[in-house]
Amino acid sequence: MCGIVGYTGSDTAKDILITGLKRLEYRGYDSAGVALERTDSDGATQLDIVRRVGKVVGLESELANMDDASTCGIGHTRWATHGRPSQANAHPHASCDGRIAVVHNGIIENFAELRDELEQRGHTFRSQTDTEVFAHLIEEAYAQEHDLMAAVREACTHVVGAYGLAAVCADEPGVIAVARKDNPIVIGRGERGSYVASDVIALIDATRDVVVLEDGQFARLTPEGIEYTDAAGKTIQPDITHIDWDIDMAEKGGYPDFMLKEICEQPRVVRDTLVGRLSPYGELDIDELGLTFEELNLIDRVYVIACGTSYHAGLIAKNLIESWARIPCEVEAASEFRYRNPIITPSTLVVAVSQSGETADTLAAIRDARIKGAKVFGITNVVGSPVARESDGVIYTKANKEIAVASTKSFIGQIVSLTLLALLLGQVKGKLTTGQVRMLFHELGDTAAQIQHILDTQGPAIHEAALACKDAPSALFVGRGMGAAISYEGALKLKEVSYLHAEAYAAGEMKHGPIALIDPGFPVIAVTTKSPTYDKTVSNLKECEARGAKIIAIATEGDEDIKQIADYVIYIPLVRDAFSAITASVPLQLLAREVAVMRGCDVDQPRNLAKSVTVE
Ligand code: F6R
């Protein structure tokens, strides 16, 4: 959470910082700020710090009247952890003399002790943030070292916690010092200067060849170049990563919002995630797993660990892994898994699912599982992310950059990737023949066209259903089997983008409590696709109908009977139950978005959320 950006070169820094911050807003958007170097009338360099509560667009207007002269600066967009969203707590934070400014993404765990010590030594704090200690620590070190990079390195030795940090100093014009531990930093060199950011999306206009800084590495950016060093200050040569997507993916491309654009990209995500995965002989190709067939054959327990939407992808995987490979599979919130003592043996496979690849709880759970001896396999959307780097093997979901905070296309990419894994385990365990794998693989690929069909035909039905929900105080999502798993995701999507309270239940659980909520007009959104439990779900819906619920059914094309109990029907094509989560999730995503738009919500940046959750 929080996005940082920095530029030093020959162009106008404020424009580059604002463009970068807008692209990083998905990481947090409660306040934003910049520190820009300025040459005063005496020829001395000063730092101008401008901060605003709210989104980057507010900061942009504030900067509009500032001249364009500054060619070096740092910026930040914040998701509050320590200290409420306010101007004083917005970054950058400055040293007592105002000559050093820092932006930080992460958490400083020992900030209270450091703050006490610094105050005792005469430093004055102006915010409630943990970050401000960095500014004062660097100030003290600079007084000794007279070198910004050395001072940053020294300050880091006192800090316990996570940071992606960029600092500027008025006494070293044109220099940006950067440090990283456990939070992402990418650095790039363009024709007109040097760039740093939390995510490549902020610097892709300037270069596609970037350095993903590793923990414990430092960088010193100047207009002329970049020097990378280790914790001892020794020069290092980091690897260059080439980015193969382009900036079109970070633009709305005619759609009113990123959420809709990303929902509409899902057919491509299915196709891209499957490209090259099946050999002409029907063998699945998931070499990145990092495990031989013999090692895979020994696996006798699978844990899927993840958070939020990624956790829901895990619920779907459980059904597939258990039914195709007959291996017990548990799905756990990473935040719970990491504090339990789960049963892990060398034959346990832990599958960590994370769009961002940097979720703090998921990363901590990966580390814990590996210490306990499990093989860890990551499924992530971000190349070179911590989840990718810390797992034994990785599948990339090929969703490409996801900008809307609510996850949609990467969820589909996760389900497709997990389905591949389940097929592979089924094949290796001898539970699925090569012919069955080939058939299932092709049916999985067919979901791309089926999603497109839903997108092309169901808009009006979804609009009507959204009108029926938009003023309700609450909504229930129900289903059985795959329908239950996808209901949890439907409820999450609705509440996070529309702020309408929603819960999901396995349909058979309704009569054990939740049915008490039903009164006339209460919306019940039911996944009633054709499946072995279709009739049971319909019975449960009849119980809701009898109590006056307004029923919105996601049903299989051709199912006319459902109209007898459902007030609204959204149809999706007939697919094998195993793949119904993929198709059924599309109308649920569209429904959530439509309700949110009707309620006047910002669907791309819902309140209180951030896309990368790098704190516990
Ligand atoms: C909801 C959503 C979140 C994330 C969760 C995990 O739409 O996006 O619930 O799924 O924060 O994030 P990742 O997948 O990046 O680990």
mmCIF file of all heavy atoms in Angstrom, residues 205-225:
data_model
loop_
_atom_site.group_PDB
_atom_site.id
_atom_site.type_symbol
_atom_site.label_atom_id
_atom_site.label_comp_id
_atom_site.label_asym_id
_atom_site.label_seq_id
_atom_site.Cartn_x
_atom_site.Cartn_y
_atom_site.Cartn_z
ATOM 1 N N ASP A 205 6.421 4.813 -19.445
ATOM 2 C CA ASP A 205 6.538 5.757 -20.562
ATOM 3 C C ASP A 205 8.001 6.005 -20.917
ATOM 4 O O ASP A 205 8.324 6.289 -22.066
ATOM 5 C CB ASP A 205 5.944 7.126 -20.175
ATOM 6 C CG ASP A 205 4.444 7.050 -20.003
ATOM 7 O OD1 ASP A 205 3.838 6.145 -20.576
ATOM 8 O OD2 ASP A 205 3.903 7.907 -19.287
ATOM 9 N N ALA A 206 8.864 5.897 -19.908
ATOM 10 C CA ALA A 206 10.267 6.257 -20.122
ATOM 11 C C ALA A 206 11.105 5.062 -20.544
ATOM 12 O O ALA A 206 12.058 5.201 -21.311
ATOM 13 C CB ALA A 206 10.844 6.857 -18.843
ATOM 14 N N THR A 207 10.788 3.890 -20.028
ATOM 15 C CA THR A 207 11.605 2.718 -20.345
ATOM 16 C C THR A 207 10.841 1.432 -20.094
ATOM 17 O O THR A 207 9.971 1.374 -19.227
ATOM 18 C CB THR A 207 12.908 2.700 -19.517
ATOM 19 O OG1 THR A 207 13.637 1.531 -19.861
ATOM 20 C CG2 THR A 207 12.654 2.709 -18.020
ATOM 21 N N ARG A 208 11.193 0.394 -20.837
ATOM 22 C CA ARG A 208 10.643 -0.944 -20.589
ATOM 23 C C ARG A 208 11.672 -1.843 -19.895
ATOM 24 O O ARG A 208 11.380 -2.984 -19.595
ATOM 25 C CB ARG A 208 10.281 -1.619 -21.919
ATOM 26 C CG ARG A 208 9.253 -0.900 -22.732
ATOM 27 C CD ARG A 208 7.903 -1.491 -22.390
ATOM 28 N NE ARG A 208 6.925 -1.005 -23.333
ATOM 29 C CZ ARG A 208 6.488 -1.727 -24.348
ATOM 30 N NH1 ARG A 208 6.907 -2.953 -24.533
ATOM 31 N NH2 ARG A 208 5.586 -1.233 -25.164
ATOM 32 N N ASP A 209 12.901 -1.332 -19.759
ATOM 33 C CA ASP A 209 13.954 -2.134 -19.131
ATOM 34 C C ASP A 209 14.169 -1.597 -17.729
ATOM 35 O O ASP A 209 14.671 -0.477 -17.569
ATOM 36 C CB ASP A 209 15.239 -2.066 -19.955
ATOM 37 C CG ASP A 209 15.049 -2.742 -21.296
ATOM 38 O OD1 ASP A 209 14.448 -3.831 -21.316
ATOM 39 O OD2 ASP A 209 15.461 -2.161 -22.313
ATOM 40 N N VAL A 210 13.791 -2.391 -16.746
ATOM 41 C CA VAL A 210 13.804 -1.878 -15.378
ATOM 42 C C VAL A 210 14.593 -2.812 -14.463
ATOM 43 O O VAL A 210 14.805 -3.987 -14.773
ATOM 44 C CB VAL A 210 12.363 -1.737 -14.816
ATOM 45 C CG1 VAL A 210 11.546 -0.773 -15.660
ATOM 46 C CG2 VAL A 210 11.667 -3.080 -14.690
ATOM 47 N N VAL A 211 14.993 -2.245 -13.349
ATOM 48 C CA VAL A 211 15.616 -3.049 -12.293
ATOM 49 C C VAL A 211 14.600 -3.188 -11.170
ATOM 50 O O VAL A 211 14.060 -2.187 -10.689
ATOM 51 C CB VAL A 211 16.888 -2.360 -11.767
ATOM 52 C CG1 VAL A 211 17.365 -3.023 -10.481
ATOM 53 C CG2 VAL A 211 17.969 -2.413 -12.831
ATOM 54 N N VAL A 212 14.295 -4.428 -10.816
ATOM 55 C CA VAL A 212 13.437 -4.659 -9.650
ATOM 56 C C VAL A 212 14.401 -4.788 -8.477
ATOM 57 O O VAL A 212 15.116 -5.782 -8.362
ATOM 58 C CB VAL A 212 12.599 -5.946 -9.838
ATOM 59 C CG1 VAL A 212 11.714 -6.184 -8.617
ATOM 60 C CG2 VAL A 212 11.762 -5.862 -11.106
ATOM 61 N N LEU A 213 14.445 -3.743 -7.658
ATOM 62 C CA LEU A 213 15.437 -3.734 -6.568
ATOM 63 C C LEU A 213 15.169 -4.897 -5.610
ATOM 64 O O LEU A 213 14.023 -5.218 -5.309
ATOM 65 C CB LEU A 213 15.335 -2.396 -5.823
ATOM 66 C CG LEU A 213 16.637 -1.861 -5.223
ATOM 67 C CD1 LEU A 213 17.655 -1.567 -6.312
ATOM 68 C CD2 LEU A 213 16.370 -0.584 -4.430
ATOM 69 N N GLU A 214 16.220 -5.523 -5.134
ATOM 70 C CA GLU A 214 16.079 -6.631 -4.180
ATOM 71 C C GLU A 214 16.187 -6.076 -2.759
ATOM 72 O O GLU A 214 16.745 -4.997 -2.549
ATOM 73 C CB GLU A 214 17.215 -7.631 -4.380
ATOM 74 C CG GLU A 214 17.333 -8.133 -5.792
ATOM 75 C CD GLU A 214 16.972 -9.593 -5.924
ATOM 76 O OE1 GLU A 214 16.737 -10.231 -4.889
ATOM 77 O OE2 GLU A 214 16.916 -10.064 -7.059
ATOM 78 N N ASP A 215 15.713 -6.880 -1.802
ATOM 79 C CA ASP A 215 15.854 -6.470 -0.401
ATOM 80 C C ASP A 215 17.319 -6.219 -0.086
ATOM 81 O O ASP A 215 18.193 -7.010 -0.482
ATOM 82 C CB ASP A 215 15.337 -7.579 0.522
ATOM 83 C CG ASP A 215 13.831 -7.582 0.580
ATOM 84 O OD1 ASP A 215 13.213 -6.635 0.053
ATOM 85 O OD2 ASP A 215 13.272 -8.531 1.151
ATOM 86 N N GLY A 216 17.564 -5.138 0.635
ATOM 87 C CA GLY A 216 18.939 -4.847 1.056
ATOM 88 C C GLY A 216 19.773 -4.157 -0.012
ATOM 89 O O GLY A 216 20.952 -3.904 0.204
ATOM 90 N N GLN A 217 19.171 -3.861 -1.157
ATOM 91 C CA GLN A 217 19.905 -3.120 -2.186
ATOM 92 C C GLN A 217 19.520 -1.636 -2.142
ATOM 93 O O GLN A 217 18.417 -1.293 -1.703
ATOM 94 C CB GLN A 217 19.614 -3.680 -3.585
ATOM 95 C CG GLN A 217 20.136 -5.093 -3.768
ATOM 96 C CD GLN A 217 19.890 -5.634 -5.163
ATOM 97 O OE1 GLN A 217 19.028 -5.147 -5.886
ATOM 98 N NE2 GLN A 217 20.642 -6.659 -5.531
ATOM 99 N N PHE A 218 20.433 -0.809 -2.615
ATOM 100 C CA PHE A 218 20.232 0.644 -2.602
ATOM 101 C C PHE A 218 20.519 1.192 -4.002
ATOM 102 O O PHE A 218 21.223 0.556 -4.784
ATOM 103 C CB PHE A 218 21.190 1.301 -1.596
ATOM 104 C CG PHE A 218 20.938 0.869 -0.171
ATOM 105 C CD1 PHE A 218 21.457 -0.334 0.308
ATOM 106 C CD2 PHE A 218 20.178 1.644 0.678
ATOM 107 C CE1 PHE A 218 21.223 -0.754 1.607
ATOM 108 C CE2 PHE A 218 19.935 1.243 1.985
ATOM 109 C CZ PHE A 218 20.461 0.040 2.450
ATOM 110 N N ALA A 219 19.982 2.371 -4.290
ATOM 111 C CA ALA A 219 20.272 2.991 -5.584
ATOM 112 C C ALA A 219 20.406 4.492 -5.407
ATOM 113 O O ALA A 219 19.689 5.103 -4.609
ATOM 114 C CB ALA A 219 19.168 2.676 -6.580
ATOM 115 N N ARG A 220 21.335 5.047 -6.154
ATOM 116 C CA ARG A 220 21.536 6.496 -6.146
ATOM 117 C C ARG A 220 21.275 6.994 -7.556
ATOM 118 O O ARG A 220 21.992 6.635 -8.496
ATOM 119 C CB ARG A 220 22.970 6.825 -5.728
ATOM 120 C CG ARG A 220 23.278 8.298 -5.653
ATOM 121 C CD ARG A 220 24.704 8.488 -5.101
ATOM 122 N NE ARG A 220 25.026 9.895 -4.929
ATOM 123 C CZ ARG A 220 25.525 10.664 -5.894
ATOM 124 N NH1 ARG A 220 25.747 10.166 -7.095
ATOM 125 N NH2 ARG A 220 25.799 11.933 -5.644
ATOM 126 N N LEU A 221 20.185 7.764 -7.695
ATOM 127 C CA LEU A 221 19.777 8.236 -9.010
ATOM 128 C C LEU A 221 20.257 9.663 -9.207
ATOM 129 O O LEU A 221 20.098 10.510 -8.302
ATOM 130 C CB LEU A 221 18.249 8.235 -9.131
ATOM 131 C CG LEU A 221 17.525 6.912 -9.396
ATOM 132 C CD1 LEU A 221 17.691 5.943 -8.239
ATOM 133 C CD2 LEU A 221 16.039 7.175 -9.642
ATOM 134 N N THR A 222 20.819 9.943 -10.364
ATOM 135 C CA THR A 222 21.163 11.318 -10.745
ATOM 136 C C THR A 222 20.666 11.525 -12.174
ATOM 137 O O THR A 222 20.302 10.551 -12.846
ATOM 138 C CB THR A 222 22.699 11.543 -10.702
ATOM 139 O OG1 THR A 222 23.283 10.683 -11.684
ATOM 140 C CG2 THR A 222 23.274 11.251 -9.331
ATOM 141 N N PRO A 223 20.678 12.758 -12.666
ATOM 142 C CA PRO A 223 20.235 12.966 -14.057
ATOM 143 C C PRO A 223 21.089 12.171 -15.050
ATOM 144 O O PRO A 223 20.635 11.801 -16.120
ATOM 145 C CB PRO A 223 20.423 14.468 -14.265
ATOM 146 C CG PRO A 223 20.377 15.052 -12.898
ATOM 147 C CD PRO A 223 20.960 14.026 -11.974
ATOM 148 N N GLU A 224 22.319 11.903 -14.665
ATOM 149 C CA GLU A 224 23.232 11.240 -15.612
ATOM 150 C C GLU A 224 23.181 9.720 -15.544
ATOM 151 O O GLU A 224 23.612 9.040 -16.482
ATOM 152 C CB GLU A 224 24.695 11.662 -15.335
ATOM 153 C CG GLU A 224 25.001 13.124 -15.580
ATOM 154 C CD GLU A 224 24.484 14.037 -14.485
ATOM 155 O OE1 GLU A 224 24.486 13.614 -13.305
ATOM 156 O OE2 GLU A 224 24.036 15.162 -14.786
ATOM 157 N N GLY A 225 22.727 9.149 -14.436
ATOM 158 C CA GLY A 225 22.770 7.688 -14.348
ATOM 159 C C GLY A 225 22.347 7.170 -12.988
ATOM 160 O O GLY A 225 21.875 7.931 -12.135
#
